[in-house]
Amino acid sequence: MIGAGLAGLSAALALTARGRAVTVYEAAPVAGGRCRSYFDRDLGLTIDNGNHLLLSGNRATMRYLEVFGGRSGLARPDEPMFPFIDLTNQQRWTIRPNRGRIPWWVFSRARRVPGTTPMDYLALLRVLRLRTDVTVYDAIRKGTLYPPLIAPLTVAALNTQPEQALARLLAAVLRETLMKGGDACLPMFPRNGLSAALIDPAVAMLTGRGAALHFGRRIAALRIAGGRVAGLGGPDGPIPLDAEDAVVLAVPAWVASDLLPGLMVPTVFGPIVNVHFRLDADPGPAGFIGLLGGTAEWVFVKHGHVSTTTSAASRLVEMDANRIVASVWPDVRTALGLNGRTPPPPWRVVKERRATVTASATQERRRPAARTELANLVLAGDWTATGLPGTIEGAIRSGETAAGLCAG
Ligand SMILES: Cc1cc2nc3c(=O)[nH]c(=O)nc-3n(C[C@H](O)[C@H](O)[C@H](O)COP(=O)(O)OP(=O)(O)OC[C@H]3O[C@@H](n4cnc5c(N)ncnc54)[C@H](O)[C@@H]3O)c2cc1C
């Protein structure tokens, strides 16, 4: 296994469950890749590289968590709920899908977006039928549901602005969540850190199953001979492979194309900007809130800190951290109902410039299948052709696919 992000970990878990011997080489000193926590000395807090929201309909992720009984590491409300505030007029509402498959919640004013009618929600059904490369903007920008729900949902789930985002990738997300009813829409996020909830228990489980995990070991080359990978170039020299060894390349797209020249991979990635504030705040019933009309798009309340997310943040990511905070902090204050003059508490801005593959038609065509031309090499990663946007669910599913191919 090359890479111990979620794709590599999920592949390793699936293979060790089948009794296969697994060796993992990870370039970083820890596992987790783009989904990890670290201790920030200035803040005196463990923070995540970015807020990650999961839904109960992410079934591969739920399976992954079940392997180590890990759902308890995730905060979730008792009922599906998505609180929002419109910062332009301070209006607040909570979208509350009912738990069953029949979406009667759209008939309840108290559960749907204010100012919308049940008919507006038919736009979501229209998206499901799209088979072409039409963007979300071109497919459904007309209609009352677009500004308060469809546009923010697209940016959050696809990390791509609706003008570029493929409607069928949004449809793939909707099909597995909202269209399955509220039971598939329980929002979950790790309140004590991504690594504690999703990464460390997987590493412990793998170690317990006898897998060998090597951290700080970047693989710099693949030695190809006879249509297969015959060896790896490790930091301490060549690592030979046996005839029956298989390799899962679970690294980011740009690393995969360096290691395998000629491999077609996505080349455009969207940035996500997170700002963490050292602040104790009331989490409310959901633990997070969606924001319209500001710079911050989501505010998550965690232990000892509050974090904001702005996705598809091409403009913001270029700004100086002080300016970002000056723009985001008033949004947080309003969303959490803090005193209007409270200055920002200690903060940290985290810019992930290549957070996920851009969900455009051009990039979608560049996502390769797991199987490669080399007999013993398979690909894994959220950027492979999973049918989903670049997400935890896609990464974990790609790991399962890769494991299935290796196990034969
Ligand atoms: C800020 C942010 C917010 C996000 N929010 C969400 C969200 O709310 N919901 C959601 O579902 N998803 C979210 N995502 C996406 C999610 O984090 C990714 O889809 C997922 O973590 C990708 O996992 P991966 O294993 O495919 O790739 P990676 O996590 O990139 O793992 C690849 C691993 O390979 C290692 N590696 C690289 N080169 C080498 C080498 N040469 N040798 C050995 N190892 C190597 C890397 O160090 C890394 O550990 C977010 C991502 C970011 C960045």
Side-chain angles (χ1 to χ4, degrees), residues 7-295:
L9 292 175
S10 108
L13 281 174
L15 285 164
T16 51
R18 294 174 199 201
R20 299 297 168 109
V22 171
T23 303
V24 182
Y25 295 99
E26 164 56 54
V30 290
R34 278 170 283 151
C35 179
R36 70 188 186 285
S37 317
Y38 59 93
F39 185 73
D40 184 305
R41 250 187 240 154
D42 292 347
L43 288 183
L45 287 169
T46 296
I47 56 173
D48 293 333
N49 68 316
N51 302 308
H52 283 60
L53 188 69
L54 291 163
L55 296 178
S56 44
N58 297 149
R59 56 180 199 276
T61 310
M62 296 305 122
R63 268 198 305 273
Y64 171 93
L65 289 166
E66 287 312 321
V67 172
F68 43 82
R71 266 199 221 191
S72 56
L74 300 172
R76 63 174 182 128
D78 295 334
E79 294 294 324
M81 60 168 71
F82 298 85
F84 279 93
I85 178 169
D86 184 340
L87 296 167
T88 61
N89 58 14
Q90 318 273 308
Q91 188 178 18
R92 288 178 189 266
W93 66 93
T94 300
I95 300 176
R96 294 174 196 272
N98 56 288
R99 297 196 78 131
R101 269 180 178 262
I102 300 169
W104 57 259
W105 64 276
V106 303
F107 297 100
S108 162
R109 260 175 223 248
R111 287 175 173 263
R112 63 177 190 245
V113 182
T116 60
T117 68
M119 293 300 281
D120 294 324
Y121 292 78
L122 292 176
L124 296 173
L125 289 181
R126 278 204 308 278
V127 181
L128 298 184
R129 287 198 292 269
L130 295 169
R131 293 283 176 268
T132 60
D133 279 353
V134 65
T135 64
V136 172
Y137 180 80
D138 286 341
I140 37 176
R141 72 177 173 280
K142 294 187 192 114
T144 349
L145 205 56
Y146 180 79
L149 185 64
I150 292 172
L153 186 65
T154 303
V155 172
L158 275 58
N159 188 26
T160 305
Q161 294 297 344
E163 291 80 358
Q164 263 196 300
L166 263 185
R168 61 188 159 81
L169 279 176
L170 178 64
V173 175
L174 291 174
R175 221 172 263 127
E176 300 193 4
T177 53
L178 202 56
M179 294 304 153
K180 288 215 162 128
D183 272 342
C185 295
L186 273 168
M188 305 179 183
F189 70 93
R191 203 168 265 162
N192 292 318
L194 285 165
S195 295
L198 286 152
I199 308 299
D200 299 345
V203 170
M205 176 70 85
L206 287 171
T207 310
R209 288 179 179 175
L213 288 99
H214 303 288
F215 295 108
R217 302 283 293 277
R218 177 178 300 279
I219 299 301
L222 305 180
R223 189 168 67 78
I224 316 285
R228 50 189 294 115
V229 183
L232 311 176
D236 310 319
I239 303 167
L241 296 180
D242 289 340
E244 66 276 17
D245 282 339
V247 178
V248 178
L249 191 56
V251 296
W254 53 92
V255 180
S257 72
D258 279 352
L259 290 173
L260 264 185
L263 178 72
M264 179 148 83
V265 299
T267 48
V268 182
F269 303 87
I272 298 182
V273 175
N274 285 257
V275 188
H276 307 277
F277 295 98
R278 196 172 69 207
L279 173 72
D280 282 308
D282 177 0
F288 67 91
I289 178 167
L291 288 70
L292 303 183
T295 302

